Amino acid sequence: MIKVEIVYKDKKFESLKVRGHADSAPHGQDLVCAGVSAVLTGGFNNLEKESSFILKLDRGDAALIKTDEITSHDLTVIETIITSLKTIQESYPQYIEIEEKE
C-alpha cells in the first residue's frame, strides 16, 4: 500500500510524504505506482523555487518539505499534486491511503 501523509500548520502546507508500493500488479506493470510516480515527478519538476523545499524522490519514498515561504505558483503545483493523489485514491482506495494532519 502507498501511504501519503500531508501536514498543514495553521491551514498552510508544511509537508508531503509518500511511502510504499501499491502492489496492484507485478513490478513494471503497476499502474497505481506509475500514476503516483508520474504525479510526483511532474509536480516536483514544475516547482519554480526548489530552494524553498527539501525534496526527495526515490523508489517507494518521496518527500516535499517546506523550508521557506512558498510562491503562489508552487502552492498551485502542490495543490495539483494533492488533488491528483486524491483522485488516484478515489479510484484505487485499496492501494493508496492519504492522511491529512494539522
Side-chain angles (χ1 to χ4, degrees):
M1 165 145 330
I2 296 171
K3 297 200 179 231
V4 178
E5 177 187 89
I6 306 162
V7 178
Y8 300 93
K9 184 176 180 184
D10 299 324
K11 299 187 181 188
K12 293 183 180 179
F13 175 83
E14 284 294 313
S15 67
L16 167 74
K17 295 179 182 176
V18 182
R19 291 200 172 94
H21 294 280
D23 294 321
S24 68
H27 180 73
Q29 299 175 13
D30 193 324
L31 296 179
V32 177
C33 274
V36 169
S37 294
V39 165
L40 294 175
T41 301
F44 287 11
N45 285 337
N46 199 31
L47 294 169
E48 71 179 357
K49 192 176 174 194
E50 287 184 22
S51 62
S52 293
F53 305 95
I54 295 171
L55 292 167
K56 180 179 184 178
L57 189 58
D58 294 322
R59 277 193 158 166
D61 190 16
L64 177 65
I65 302 166
K66 183 183 94 156
T67 59
D68 200 356
E69 291 302 311
I70 301 174
T71 66
S72 62
H73 169 85
D74 287 351
L75 183 57
T76 300
V77 170
I78 293 165
E79 289 170 349
T80 301
I81 291 170
I82 293 169
T83 299
S84 298
L85 292 173
K86 287 179 178 180
T87 301
I88 294 170
Q89 181 193 35
E90 287 175 13
S91 296
Y92 302 98
Q94 67 273 40
Y95 300 114
I96 180 170
E97 176 182 289
I98 299 175
E99 178 183 7
E100 295 182 274
K101 300 179 180 182
E102 179 74 30

